[in-house]
Amino acid sequence: MPDRVGPEELRRVRLRVGDQKGNSQSLLRSAGLDRAPYAIEWSTFTSGPPLLEAVSADAVDAGGVGNTPPLFAAAAKRDVKAISVSRGNVTSDALVVRKDSPLQRVEDLRGKKIAVARGSSAHGQVLLNLRKIGMSPDDVQLVILQPADALGAFNSGDVDAWAIWDPYFSQVRLETGARVLTDGTGIANGYDFLIAGTAALADPARNTALADFAVRLAKAQVFSDRHRPERARAWAQDTGLPIEVTTPATEAGPNLPIPLDAEVIRSSQQLADAFVQAKEIPRPFRFADYVDTRFQPQLAAFH
C-alpha cells in the first residue's frame, strides 16, 4: 500500500483538524494558506488534553497543542504521535493573580488554590516553578478547571491564582488587570507540537494531507513572525476576541518551526519524568515512542 496518494485522491480527503481559540485556523488564513487541495474540517477545543483525546479516538486527525498534553496522552497510552514541533515565547505561559492579591512570590502559594487545566502546558509550568523553589503540587491546592470555568473562579476569588496561556493570558490581563506572579522563563522549553492520530498516519490519503498540512503550518508560522498585525487581525476575526487581546498575544512572539530531533525528545522526557516524580503522571514512559519524524525532510526548509 503506498504511503502517499496522487492529486485526484487527495482532493477527496477531508482532514479533521482540532484547534484552540482559532489558533491554527487563523494562522493559516492570515498567511493565505487556508485553501488546501483537500477539505479541512475544523473543531475547536478549550485546551490540549481534550483535543488529544479526540485525536486518539480517531474523531480528529490532528491538532496543535503545547508541551505537556502529549506527555499525559503518552502516559495514557493514547494512539497519537508528535509529527512536528515549534518553539515560542514562554512569558505568556504564566501564573497570574488578581491585581489586588497579597501574593507576591511563588513561595506565597503554599496552601493556596491554583486553577489549571490538567495536562495543559500551564500544568507543566506550575510544576516546574514549584520544583524550582523546592515545592511540589502537594504543597498547593490544584483546582482542575478548563479556561472558561477558571476565569469565573479567578474573578470571583474562588481560586488564588490561575495558570494560563495565550490568548487567555492577554485577555485576563486586559479585562481584569491580573498581575503576573511568575512565568515559564528559564524553566519551560516553549514547545508546541502538531499531533496526529496513528489511524490517520496509517491511511495513505490522510497521511498525504497531513504532510501538506504540516508544511502549511510551518510556512504560516514563519509568515506570522514577519506579519504580526495581519496575524493579530485574523486571530481576532476568527475568535471574536478584541484586537487588544490578540495584538499583545501576537507581539509576544509567534511559534517558529524547529527540528523534531533528539534535543526536543530529551527536553520532553525531562518534563515527563518530572511529572512522574511528582505523581501527577502515574507511570514512566519513553516520549520517543510517541514521536514520528516522517515529515521532517519536507519541514527542514523552515528550520
Side-chain angles (χ1 to χ4, degrees):
M1 192 176 223
D3 291 330
R4 302 288 170 86
V5 299
E8 275 294 318
E9 193 170 349
L10 184 59
R11 278 194 289 270
R12 295 194 289 271
V13 173
R14 178 174 56 93
L15 190 69
R16 303 162 301 169
V17 181
D19 203 8
Q20 299 182 60
K21 273 284 189 183
N23 194 3
S24 297
Q25 186 173 11
S26 62
L27 192 65
L28 292 178
R29 191 163 68 81
S30 64
L33 294 166
D34 52 327
R35 295 192 176 182
Y38 45 87
I40 301 177
E41 179 183 294
W42 295 97
S43 298
T44 302
F45 294 83
T46 55
S47 66
L51 192 162
L52 292 192
E53 287 180 20
V55 172
S56 179
D58 199 25
V60 170
D61 296 314
V65 299
N67 62 353
T68 304
L71 309 183
F72 278 73
K77 300 182 180 180
R78 300 204 182 278
D79 295 323
V80 300
K81 299 280 187 179
I83 61 172
S84 69
V85 63
S86 58
R87 181 166 51 212
N89 82 85
V90 295
T91 57
S92 58
D93 198 352
L95 192 58
V96 299
V97 295
R98 288 178 297 281
K99 62 182 178 182
D100 58 351
S101 172
L103 306 179
Q104 299 295 326
R105 307 175 305 156
V106 178
E107 289 88 340
D108 297 335
L109 289 169
R110 188 179 296 275
K112 303 298 184 183
K113 294 179 179 179
I114 304 172
V116 65
R118 183 180 296 281
S120 65
S121 62
H123 196 173
Q125 178 259 114
V126 169
L127 173 66
L128 294 175
N129 267 305
L130 291 175
R131 285 190 75 190
K132 185 178 178 181
I133 59 168
M135 290 170 61
S136 79
D138 290 336
D139 295 313
V140 298
Q141 299 180 59
L142 295 184
V143 181
I144 306 303
L145 295 170
Q146 289 296 320
D149 294 326
L151 177 59
F154 181 78
N155 288 337
S156 67
D158 290 339
V159 296
D160 302 290
W162 185 15
I164 201 58
W165 61 92
D166 262 332
Y168 306 108
F169 169 65
S170 295
Q171 183 179 12
V172 74
R173 292 191 77 191
L174 175 71
E175 293 178 352
T176 73
R179 178 165 49 85
V180 176
L181 196 65
T182 190
D183 58 32
T185 301
I187 57 167
N189 54 33
Y191 297 154
D192 271 9
F193 291 97
L194 178 60
I195 306 292
T198 55
L201 289 166
D203 176 74
R206 284 188 285 172
N207 179 70
T208 304
L210 282 170
D212 177 86
F213 183 82
V215 168
R216 282 174 187 273
L217 197 59
K219 284 182 180 178
Q221 287 168 336
V222 173
F223 179 91
S224 73
D225 187 35
R226 298 170 183 167
H227 302 83
R228 297 186 185 188
E230 293 95 321
R231 164 69 176 130
R233 284 195 295 271
W235 205 354
Q237 289 167 4
D238 283 356
T239 61
L241 288 168
I243 193 73
E244 293 83 3
V245 169
T246 59
T247 295
T250 302
E251 287 300 325
N255 281 51
L256 291 172
I258 61 172
L260 184 53
D261 59 12
E263 173 55 26
V264 170
I265 293 172
R266 183 200 64 78
S267 179
S268 298
Q269 187 67 57
Q270 276 190 332
L271 181 56
D273 294 343
F275 268 107
V276 172
Q277 186 177 2
K279 299 180 182 177
E280 293 288 299
I281 285 179
R283 71 175 189 93
F285 61 90
R286 292 179 70 251
F287 182 72
D289 294 340
Y290 295 86
V291 170
D292 190 316
T293 60
R294 71 178 71 184
F295 303 129
Q296 290 305 293
Q298 295 100 304
L299 293 167
F302 306 102
H303 298 154

